[in-house]
Amino acid sequence: MSATLPDIATPVETPPPPRPRMFSATGIAGLALLSFLAALAVLGPILVPWTAADRDFEAFLAPPSANHPFGTTPSGGDVLVLTLLGLRRSLLIGVVVAVVATTVAALVGAFAGYFLGWVDRTLMWVADLLLVIPAFLVVAVVSSGQDDWIALVVLLAAFMWMVTAKAVRGAAIVARDREYVKAARFMGVPPHRIVLRHVVPNLASLLVADATVNVSAAILAETSLAYFGFGVVPPDVSLGSLIADGAPTALYAPWTFWWAAGLLIALIVAVNLVGDDLRDRFDPSLRACA
């Protein structure tokens, strides 16, 4: 009599959970719009037959036409090329300010959170001091005597790193007790190299998300300054300066105002959509609630 073997159930392989997409539908829409605006800012002024210095003396404050699709200014300048150049300058200012401010925030927050003690107290005291200073007033007064937009970038970046630095500090306090940091410390790696090679790179997700949001904040700050006559000065233009110049004629010649205002709104919406989506993807608490 032969023994019968019990049936052995065939193991069922459970498929791995699908990897979350980097961008949601709104994030993809924002990225597509932002890419289109960036391409427009880079290639647009090259393709337009007019330049910022050209003047059409037969079309002063003329409405949109085949020769001037966006109309002209009171001095005969082509609104299309001026708007594209303003978009390029505003986008460049936003990106540079965000990169500089985020870099400073990463270094200050990481060193404060890793070393703690008097280093932490000193760096956070500087951050708290800058937070209570009226940044708009200081930037407006100091930048009023500057003709170079680089000075505006430095001033804006100097007042935009403090909040991000505090967030980085909190993450660095947690990271200093991680195994990879303890292993590097046990191997005799100098503290500053641990911060730069292990702590800061592992906070890249937080920094990328905050840098994206800082782009829109820098653009809005520059626009506000330009509207009150500070910031970018002629012959250079930005969306803020174009909006300020077109405000007096916005009612009876809306093309001098609404093209720049519309592009500014589209740019801020695109950057915020991308930034919010990145923040949702990288923030564990937000991702857990999704």
Side-chain angles (χ1 to χ4, degrees):
M1 182 176 180
S2 59
T4 59
L5 297 175
D7 295 335
I8 300 176
T10 304
V12 179
E13 295 183 0
T14 57
R19 297 180 61 184
R21 292 185 302 175
M22 184 63 181
F23 289 99
S24 63
T26 56
I28 293 175
L31 184 62
L33 179 58
L34 183 60
S35 300
F36 171 74
L37 293 175
L40 197 64
V42 174
L43 301 177
I46 301 175
L47 302 177
V48 175
W50 299 90
T51 66
D54 292 338
R55 295 291 180 268
D56 189 349
F57 297 105
E58 297 180 355
F60 293 110
L61 206 61
S65 61
N67 198 24
H68 300 282
F70 280 16
T72 62
T73 64
S75 61
D78 184 70
V79 176
L80 174 58
V81 69
L82 291 174
T83 303
L84 294 177
L85 290 173
L87 175 63
R88 176 192 291 180
R89 180 63 68 219
S90 293
L91 187 57
L92 181 60
I93 289 176
V95 171
V96 174
V97 169
V99 170
V100 174
T102 304
T103 301
V104 174
L107 296 176
V108 172
F111 276 95
Y114 182 82
F115 288 98
L116 296 178
W118 68 269
V119 176
D120 178 36
R121 291 193 297 270
T122 301
L123 294 177
M124 290 301 100
W125 179 82
V126 174
D128 292 336
L129 177 63
L130 292 177
L131 280 174
V132 300
I133 293 178
F136 186 88
L137 180 61
V138 173
V139 175
V141 171
V142 177
S143 64
S144 61
Q146 304 293 331
D147 295 333
D148 193 354
W149 64 274
I150 299 296
L152 175 64
V153 167
V154 174
L155 289 170
L156 288 176
F159 288 96
M160 290 189 61
W161 59 268
M162 294 83 70
V163 176
T164 304
K166 289 180 174 293
V168 172
R169 172 187 175 272
I173 293 176
V174 177
R176 71 193 300 267
D177 294 327
R178 300 288 186 182
E179 287 75 9
Y180 59 88
V181 175
K182 291 181 178 179
R185 192 184 303 125
F186 178 77
M187 295 173 61
V189 179
H192 69 279
R193 294 184 63 183
I194 294 178
V195 173
L196 297 178
R197 291 193 176 186
H198 299 282
V199 177
V200 173
N202 282 279
L203 301 178
S205 58
L206 169 65
L207 297 175
V208 169
D210 284 343
T212 307
V213 176
N214 284 339
V215 173
S216 61
I219 293 174
L220 287 176
E222 184 277 327
T223 302
S224 301
L225 288 168
Y227 188 81
F228 290 102
F230 307 104
V232 175
V233 296
D236 202 357
V237 294
S238 68
L239 291 179
S241 64
L242 292 175
I243 291 174
D245 293 340
T249 59
L251 295 180
Y252 59 89
W255 56 88
T256 61
F257 176 85
W258 289 110
W259 290 115
L263 281 180
L264 176 65
I265 294 173
L267 182 59
I268 297 302
V269 169
V271 172
N272 284 341
L273 287 177
V274 175
D276 290 344
D277 200 63
L278 287 174
R279 189 183 295 274
D280 293 343
R281 295 297 167 181
F282 290 145
D283 192 330
S285 60
L286 295 177
R287 188 165 58 242
C289 297

